[in-house]
Amino acid sequence: MITIDTPAGPFTMTGDGTAVTAAVFDTTVPPEWATPGEVPAEAVAAVRAYFDGDLSALDGIAVNQHGTAYLEQCWDMLRTLDGPVSYTRLAELTGRPAAVRAAAQGCARNQVALIVPCHRVLRTDGTLGGYRWGLDVKRWLLEHESTHR
């Protein structure tokens, strides 16, 4: 496990030696998410590069989290987003336009914050909606990305 000081607050990651298994804007990872093993050095470097303005630095970081087939599809789709979308649009992008609530669950159950960028999903009216790590963090991340896009 490693904690990195960032402008958005402390960012902690756990890994299994080859992938990031959990990432949170906090100093501790929920025990049920923690895995024994090292966080890959390239993940640490990529997070630092992201906060220095290289938004694509996180693209190649391996992640390992498990869920239903649809949750995993949501997480994969989140990694392809290059800007904010609504929950409705996320559902459409997964090929299941009626699955808006399921797409929202994809965001809510994501345990690899930032690297799987659920912070990029907004309400249909463009407001922030929720974010497990706080709306101040979500707002900061979106402004950072807007500045460096």
Side-chain angles (χ1 to χ4, degrees):
M1 182 166 21
I2 185 168
T3 300
I4 302 167
D5 288 325
T6 77
F11 185 72
T12 302
M13 295 184 285
T14 64
D16 62 10
T18 60
V20 175
T21 57
V24 301
F25 282 96
D26 201 343
T27 56
T28 60
V29 172
E32 64 274 15
W33 293 2
T35 55
E38 295 294 317
V39 175
E42 59 269 14
V44 176
V47 167
R48 289 188 171 122
Y50 169 88
F51 283 103
D52 285 342
D54 181 359
L55 303 183
S56 65
L58 304 174
D59 294 350
I61 299 304
V63 298
N64 187 8
Q65 63 178 333
H66 302 285
T68 66
Y70 187 73
L71 288 175
E72 291 184 17
Q73 182 183 7
C74 282
W75 298 330
D76 289 344
M77 184 55 62
L78 286 167
R79 294 200 74 188
T80 70
L81 300 177
D82 61 0
V85 300
S86 68
Y87 292 100
T88 301
R89 181 67 181 138
L90 177 60
E92 291 169 352
L93 290 169
T94 66
R96 294 181 50 195
V100 176
R101 288 186 181 186
Q105 279 299 303
C107 294
R109 296 189 52 200
N110 173 29
Q111 55 189 61
V112 186
L114 184 64
I115 300 166
V116 177
C118 59
H119 64 273
R120 293 182 184 153
V121 183
L122 309 172
R123 290 181 175 159
T124 304
D125 66 3
T127 59
L128 293 181
Y131 190 57
R132 178 187 299 264
W133 313 113
L135 293 182
D136 288 341
V137 172
K138 184 172 185 170
R139 187 176 298 105
W140 191 95
L141 294 171
L142 291 170
E143 288 174 4
H144 173 71
E145 292 177 355
S146 176
T147 299
H148 294 284
R149 193 167 272 110

